[in-house]
Amino acid sequence: MGSSKQRRGNTRQRIQDVALELFAEQGYEKTSLREIAEQLDVTKAALYYHFKTKEDIVVSLFEDLTKPIDELIEWGREQPSTLDTKQQLIERYSLALAGAAPLFRFMQENQATMRELSIGEMFKDRMTTLLDQLLPPDATMTERVRCFSAIFSMHAGLFVLKDVEGDPEEKRKAILEVATDLITQAHRAD
Amino acid sequence: MGSSKQRRGNTRQRIQDVALELFAEQGYEKTSLREIAEQLDVTKAALYYHFKTKEDIVVSLFEDLTKPIDELIEWGREQPSTLDTKQQLIERYSLALAGAAPLFRFMQENQATMRELSIGEMFKDRMTTLLDQLLPPDATMTERVRCFSAIFSMHAGLFVLKDVEGDPEEKRKAILEVATDLITQAHRAD
Amino acid sequence: MGSSKQRRGNTRQRIQDVALELFAEQGYEKTSLREIAEQLDVTKAALYYHFKTKEDIVVSLFEDLTKPIDELIEWGREQPSTLDTKQQLIERYSLALAGAAPLFRFMQENQATMRELSIGEMFKDRMTTLLDQLLPPDATMTERVRCFSAIFSMHAGLFVLKDVEGDPEEKRKAILEVATDLITQAHRAD
Amino acid sequence: MGSSKQRRGNTRQRIQDVALELFAEQGYEKTSLREIAEQLDVTKAALYYHFKTKEDIVVSLFEDLTKPIDELIEWGREQPSTLDTKQQLIERYSLALAGAAPLFRFMQENQATMRELSIGEMFKDRMTTLLDQLLPPDATMTERVRCFSAIFSMHAGLFVLKDVEGDPEEKRKAILEVATDLITQAHRAD
DNA sequence: TATGAATGAGAGTTCATTCAT
DNA sequence: TATGAATGAACTCTCATTCAT
C-alpha cells in the first residue's frame, strides 16, 4: 500500500502529531497552519476540514491528556489522605507525564499562550485540585511550596534534563524521588 | 512637574516599562508594537527611534537583569565550594529574583519564545553556570535534580503563589527555605 | 409519516426552501452553501447532487416565478391597450408578487448581485416589457416615472411595510390602490 | 507636479472615491480590498492605515451623506406641518439625492448588506423620521403607502432611468413631480 | 441519493519595519 | 525627538467546487 493509501482516514491523527511536534518545538504562535499543512503535504483548507480553528487543534491534543489526569484525581478522591496515598499519587502522575511528555513540554513553554486558550483555565483547575490532595489540612506556606515545587519540578524536569546525558527512565526516577521527598516532608499526620 | 515634563527624555524608559508589563501579561508574540505605542500615546515609529527591533526591546530589558546575576556568579566563583557558600548563593539569587519579578515571569511563561530570541541562549548559560556552582563534583542524577528543582521552584514560585493569599515577603521566605533545603540535601562534603 | 419519510425524494425542494429563506434574510453572498447544508442536516456535497452551482439554485428559484409573469405578459399582449387592461395587469401582477414575496424581497435587496447573475438580465427584460404595456405610446418622462414608480412601489412595498402593523392583505390592497392611481394618471386615451 | 506628488495627503479621499465606485458597481461583498488597492496602486495594508476595517470605509462614505439629511430633518422639525413644508421637504431631498447619487445607488442595490452594516439601522431611522414628517397624523394605510412610495421612487428613480435617454436634470424634475403629487395626495388638512 | 475528504483561490486583517520629513 | 504614510509578508479563516466511494 502506497503512501497515499496510508493517508486515508488518519489525516486527523497526522495533523495532531505534526501540530504537537511543531507547537512544542517552536511555540504555538510561531507555528503557522501553513507550516503544519506543508509538512503534511496537504492544503491549509484540509486542516479546517478536520478542526474548526487553530485553537481547536490544541484543545483536541489536550483531550487525550485530560482523561488520565481526571482519572488520577478521581482515584485520589476515593483514597484516605494518607502519606502512602500521596506517594502513589505522584508516582502515577509521573507516569502520566512521561506518557505525554511533548504535550507537557508545550504547556510548560507556552504558559503565556495557555492562559489565553480556553484549555488553560481547565488545566489550572486540575492542578489546583491535585495540589489540594497532596496538602495537609491548613497547610503552612512552606508546606504549600514543597508540594507545588514537587509538581512543577516534575513538569519541567523532563525537558530541562534533556541536555543532561543519561537514560530517560533513570532521570524520571530521580525526579520522582525528589518529588516524593518533597511531599513526604510536607505531609503531617494529624 | 506636569505629565508632559515627566515625559521629557525618559521615553526609552517608559517604553521598557510598558513593554515589560505587556509582554509579561500577554506574552511576547501576542503583544504588538502598536499596542505598546498606543498605551504610551506615541506612534510605532517612535519606538523605532529608541530601539532597532522588537527583539531589541526584550534584550534591553534583560540587560538590567543580567548584571546582578553575573556579579552573583562572579562572587560565587571566588568563594570556596562550601555548603555555606551555596546557601548564600541562593539567598542572594532569591533577592535578585524578587527585584526583577515581572521579567522572570515573562521568561518563565515565554520559554518557547525565549529559545528563539538571542537572549535565550545567553540566559541558559548563566543558569548552567549557577547550577554548577551549587552541585557537588560528579553529582548523581538525584543531586542534579534537587539543585535544578531549587532554582526552578524559585523562578516559578513567585507567580504561581500569586493566587495564594499571604504577604509576598513571607512567600519568598518560604520558597527560599525549601530551595535551601534542596541544595543542602544535594551538598556532599568531600 | 415520520420526518425521514418526508425527506424522501423532496430534498431538492427543501434545498430551495431553505436557500430562499437564507438568501432573502442575509443576502446571496453572505449565505454560504455550508449554512444551507447545515440547516438541512445534509453535506455540502449533497447540494451539488441536486444543483450544479450556487447560482443554479437561484436560477431554479426564479423559474417558478418567471412563468406566471410570462403568462401575464402574454395575456397583456393579446388585450387592447386600454386603461382597463392596464388596471387588470397590475392587479394580476400584485397577486403574482404576493405569491412570491420572499423571492421578490431577495431580488429587491440584492440588486447588485442580481446584475451579475445570468437571471438578472432576463428579469430586467420582463420588467421592461411589462412597463411598455403600461405606458402610452410616446410617453412623456413624467408618465414613464409614474409607471415605473407603480411597479417599483409594489416590489418594495411588501417588505417595507413589514414593520407597520396591519393585515398583510390590507397592505397589499393599499399598495395596489396607489399603483392603480399611478398608472391611471399615466394613461392617455389616444 | 508628478502623480506621486498629487497623491500626497489625499490617499484617504482617493480610497473613498474608488471604493464608492466599485461598491456601487459590483456590490459591497463582491468588491475586495485587493481590488480597491490595486486600482489605487497601493497595498492593501495602506487601506488599513486609513480605515480600521472594510466596513469602516462604507461608514465613512455615509458620514458625508448623513449630515445633509440630518439638516433636512432638523429643518423640517422647525416648520409647521403644512403641505407647503412637505413639498419643500421632498424638493430638498431630491437635491440631496442628486448630490449623492452613487451612494444612493449603492444603498439601493445592497440593501441586504446594509441591514448587517452598523450604518443600516441608522439610515433606516432617518427614513422613518422623514416619513413621519410627510405623513398626516393617524395616516391611513393608503396615505402611508403614498408617502413611502414617493421616497422610494426617488431613491430608485435615478438609477432605473439610467437606461432611458434624456437629460438627467429633466429626469430628476419628472421624478420630483410624481413624488410631489404623491405626498400632496397624502396630505390631509386638519 | 448521498458522503468524506480535500483543494485552490481568495478573503479581511495584522505585523514588524522603513523612511522622508 | 518624533510622526505620517506606506510596504511586504504573513496570518487565520472561508468559500464554492470536485470526486472517488
Side-chain angles (χ1 to χ4, degrees):
Chain A
M1 47 177 171
S3 73
S4 72
K5 270 260 167 73
Q6 282 186 328
R7 263 152 84 171
R8 279 283 144 73
N10 64 343
T11 303
R12 202 188 134 94
Q13 178 69 47
R14 288 173 64 234
I15 293 172
Q16 289 177 314
D17 293 348
V18 169
L20 177 50
E21 189 184 318
L22 291 178
F23 286 162
E25 195 143 335
Q26 320 177 339
Y28 176 77
E29 340 264 349
K30 287 269 230 180
T31 303
S32 70
L33 296 184
R34 178 185 53 70
E35 219 172 341
I36 297 176
E38 258 167 24
Q39 199 152 125
L40 287 168
D41 209 37
V42 295
T43 57
K44 276 183 289 169
L47 305 186
Y48 279 92
Y49 176 77
H50 293 282
F51 298 95
K52 258 193 356 227
T53 62
K54 187 184 181 184
E55 177 166 353
D56 219 48
I57 301 182
V58 169
V59 170
S60 85
L61 290 175
F62 273 89
E63 259 152 26
D64 293 347
L65 173 64
T66 307
K67 212 172 28 163
I69 295 188
D70 278 350
E71 287 168 1
L72 181 58
I73 287 175
E74 196 46 47
W75 176 87
R77 204 193 308 283
E78 292 161 3
Q79 307 306 118
S81 185
T82 63
L83 176 56
D84 184 61
T85 297
K86 292 176 182 176
Q87 285 171 345
Q88 279 194 57
L89 260 178
I90 61 155
E91 174 158 18
R92 285 164 188 238
Y93 191 60
S94 169
L95 288 166
L97 285 189
L103 201 49
F104 269 94
R105 183 179 169 205
F106 166 71
M107 234 183 49
Q108 185 63 34
E109 299 190 343
N110 293 271
Q111 286 174 59
T113 299
M114 288 294 291
R115 221 171 335 123
E116 322 246 302
L117 259 34
S118 60
I119 215 89
E121 196 67 27
M122 215 184 73
F123 196 83
K124 199 176 151 192
D125 287 349
R126 256 74 168 187
M127 287 303 99
T128 307
T129 309
L130 190 56
L131 252 174
D132 276 346
Q133 297 188 341
L134 294 175
L135 281 173
D138 302 315
T140 65
M141 187 62 80
T142 306
E143 284 161 350
R144 265 174 213 287
V145 170
R146 271 192 228 279
C147 284
F148 106 75
S149 184
I151 288 188
F152 258 65
S153 296
M154 291 172 80
H155 286 185
L158 294 164
F159 331 116
V160 173
L161 296 185
K162 247 185 19 186
D163 303 332
V164 179
E165 87 296 344
D167 170 51
E169 185 58 13
E170 185 203 345
K171 294 181 198 169
R172 190 185 69 80
K173 290 256 170 73
I175 294 168
L176 178 55
E177 185 191 339
V178 173
T180 305
D181 274 13
L182 281 163
I183 68 111
T184 302
Q185 287 175 266
H187 179 75
R188 215 180 332 114
D190 303 282
Chain B
M1 48 177 170
S3 74
S4 71
K5 270 255 170 75
Q6 281 187 325
R7 251 139 112 162
R8 278 283 145 78
N10 65 343
T11 302
R12 201 187 133 93
Q13 178 67 46
R14 289 174 62 236
I15 293 172
Q16 290 178 313
D17 291 349
V18 169
L20 177 51
E21 189 184 319
L22 291 178
F23 286 161
E25 194 141 337
Q26 320 178 339
Y28 176 76
E29 335 268 356
K30 288 268 236 180
T31 303
S32 69
L33 295 186
R34 178 182 52 69
E35 219 173 341
I36 297 175
E38 257 167 26
Q39 200 153 123
L40 286 167
D41 212 38
V42 296
T43 54
K44 272 183 290 172
L47 304 185
Y48 279 89
Y49 177 80
H50 293 282
F51 298 95
K52 244 175 41 205
T53 63
K54 187 183 181 186
E55 179 166 352
D56 223 48
I57 301 183
V58 170
V59 170
S60 84
L61 290 174
F62 274 89
E63 260 152 23
D64 293 347
L65 173 66
T66 309
K67 211 172 29 166
I69 295 189
D70 278 350
E71 288 168 3
L72 182 57
I73 287 175
E74 197 45 49
W75 176 87
R77 205 193 309 282
E78 292 161 3
Q79 306 306 118
S81 183
T82 63
L83 176 58
D84 184 63
T85 297
K86 292 175 182 176
Q87 285 171 347
Q88 277 195 57
L89 261 178
I90 64 158
E91 175 156 17
R92 287 165 186 235
Y93 191 59
S94 170
L95 288 166
L97 284 189
L103 199 52
F104 268 92
R105 183 179 171 205
F106 166 71
M107 234 183 48
Q108 182 64 28
E109 299 190 342
N110 294 270
Q111 286 174 58
T113 299
M114 287 295 289
R115 223 172 331 124
E116 325 245 305
L117 260 36
S118 60
I119 215 91
E121 197 67 26
M122 214 184 73
F123 195 83
K124 200 175 151 193
D125 287 349
R126 256 73 168 188
M127 286 303 100
T128 308
T129 310
L130 189 56
L131 252 175
D132 277 345
Q133 296 187 342
L134 295 175
L135 280 173
D138 302 314
T140 65
M141 186 64 78
T142 306
E143 285 161 352
R144 267 176 209 287
V145 170
R146 270 192 230 280
C147 284
F148 106 74
S149 183
I151 288 186
F152 192 83
S153 295
M154 292 171 78
H155 286 185
L158 294 164
F159 330 116
V160 173
L161 297 185
K162 246 179 29 180
D163 303 331
V164 178
E165 86 297 346
D167 171 52
E169 185 58 13
E170 184 204 346
K171 292 181 200 170
R172 191 186 68 81
K173 289 258 171 70
I175 294 168
L176 178 55
E177 184 191 340
V178 172
T180 305
D181 273 13
L182 281 163
I183 67 110
T184 303
Q185 287 177 266
H187 179 74
R188 213 178 336 115
D190 304 283
Chain C
M1 48 178 168
S3 75
S4 70
K5 270 255 170 75
Q6 282 186 325
R7 253 141 111 162
R8 278 283 146 78
N10 64 343
T11 302
R12 202 188 132 93
Q13 178 66 48
R14 290 173 61 234
I15 292 172
Q16 289 177 313
D17 292 348
V18 169
L20 177 52
E21 189 184 318
L22 291 178
F23 287 161
E25 194 141 337
Q26 319 178 340
Y28 177 75
E29 335 268 357
K30 286 268 234 178
T31 303
S32 68
L33 296 186
R34 178 181 54 67
E35 219 173 341
I36 297 175
E38 257 167 25
Q39 200 154 121
L40 286 168
D41 212 38
V42 295
T43 54
K44 273 183 290 173
L47 305 185
Y48 279 89
Y49 178 80
H50 293 282
F51 298 95
K52 245 176 39 205
T53 64
K54 187 184 181 187
E55 179 167 351
D56 223 48
I57 301 181
V58 170
V59 170
S60 85
L61 291 174
F62 273 89
E63 260 152 25
D64 293 348
L65 174 65
T66 309
K67 212 170 29 162
I69 295 189
D70 278 352
E71 287 168 2
L72 181 57
I73 287 175
E74 196 46 48
W75 175 87
R77 204 192 308 282
E78 293 161 2
Q79 308 305 119
S81 183
T82 64
L83 176 57
D84 184 61
T85 297
K86 292 176 182 174
Q87 284 170 346
Q88 279 196 56
L89 261 178
I90 64 157
E91 175 158 18
R92 286 166 189 235
Y93 191 60
S94 169
L95 288 166
L97 284 189
L103 199 51
F104 269 93
R105 182 179 171 204
F106 166 71
M107 235 182 47
Q108 182 64 29
E109 299 190 344
N110 294 270
Q111 287 175 58
T113 299
M114 287 294 289
R115 225 175 325 126
E116 324 245 304
L117 259 36
S118 60
I119 215 88
E121 197 66 28
M122 214 182 74
F123 196 83
K124 200 175 153 192
D125 287 350
R126 256 75 168 188
M127 286 304 97
T128 307
T129 310
L130 190 55
L131 252 174
D132 277 347
Q133 297 188 342
L134 295 174
L135 281 173
D138 303 314
T140 66
M141 188 63 79
T142 306
E143 285 160 351
R144 266 175 211 286
V145 170
R146 271 193 230 278
C147 284
F148 106 74
S149 185
I151 288 187
F152 193 83
S153 295
M154 292 172 77
H155 286 185
L158 293 164
F159 331 117
V160 172
L161 296 184
K162 247 182 26 183
D163 303 332
V164 178
E165 85 298 345
D167 170 53
E169 184 58 13
E170 184 203 347
K171 293 181 199 168
R172 190 185 68 81
K173 290 256 171 70
I175 294 168
L176 178 55
E177 184 190 341
V178 173
T180 305
D181 274 14
L182 281 162
I183 69 111
T184 302
Q185 288 177 265
H187 179 75
R188 211 178 336 114
D190 304 285
Chain D
M1 48 176 170
S3 75
S4 71
K5 269 259 165 75
Q6 282 186 325
R7 264 151 83 169
R8 279 285 143 73
N10 64 343
T11 302
R12 201 189 135 93
Q13 178 67 49
R14 289 173 63 235
I15 293 172
Q16 289 178 315
D17 293 347
V18 169
L20 177 51
E21 190 184 318
L22 292 178
F23 286 162
E25 194 142 337
Q26 319 178 338
Y28 176 76
E29 339 265 349
K30 286 270 232 180
T31 303
S32 70
L33 296 184
R34 178 184 53 69
E35 221 172 341
I36 297 176
E38 257 168 25
Q39 198 152 126
L40 287 167
D41 209 39
V42 296
T43 57
K44 273 186 292 171
L47 305 187
Y48 278 91
Y49 176 77
H50 294 281
F51 298 95
K52 259 200 343 236
T53 61
K54 187 185 180 186
E55 176 167 354
D56 218 49
I57 300 182
V58 169
V59 170
S60 85
L61 291 175
F62 274 89
E63 259 151 27
D64 292 346
L65 173 64
T66 308
K67 213 174 23 164
I69 295 189
D70 278 351
E71 287 168 1
L72 181 57
I73 287 175
E74 196 46 48
W75 175 87
R77 204 194 307 282
E78 292 160 4
Q79 308 305 119
S81 184
T82 63
L83 177 57
D84 185 61
T85 297
K86 292 174 182 177
Q87 286 170 346
Q88 280 195 56
L89 261 178
I90 63 157
E91 176 160 15
R92 287 166 188 237
Y93 191 59
S94 170
L95 288 165
L97 285 189
L103 200 51
F104 269 93
R105 181 177 171 208
F106 165 72
M107 231 182 51
Q108 186 63 34
E109 299 191 342
N110 294 268
Q111 286 175 58
T113 299
M114 287 294 290
R115 221 172 334 124
E116 324 247 302
L117 259 35
S118 61
I119 215 89
E121 196 67 26
M122 216 182 74
F123 196 83
K124 199 176 150 193
D125 287 350
R126 256 73 168 188
M127 286 305 98
T128 307
T129 310
L130 190 55
L131 253 174
D132 276 348
Q133 297 188 341
L134 295 175
L135 281 173
D138 302 315
T140 66
M141 187 63 77
T142 306
E143 285 161 350
R144 264 175 213 287
V145 170
R146 271 192 229 278
C147 284
F148 106 76
S149 185
I151 288 188
F152 257 67
S153 296
M154 292 172 79
H155 286 185
L158 294 163
F159 331 116
V160 173
L161 295 185
K162 248 185 17 186
D163 302 333
V164 179
E165 86 297 344
D167 170 51
E169 184 59 13
E170 186 205 345
K171 293 181 198 169
R172 191 185 69 80
K173 289 257 169 72
I175 294 168
L176 178 55
E177 185 192 338
V178 172
T180 305
D181 274 12
L182 281 163
I183 68 110
T184 303
Q185 287 176 265
H187 179 75
R188 215 182 331 115
D190 302 285

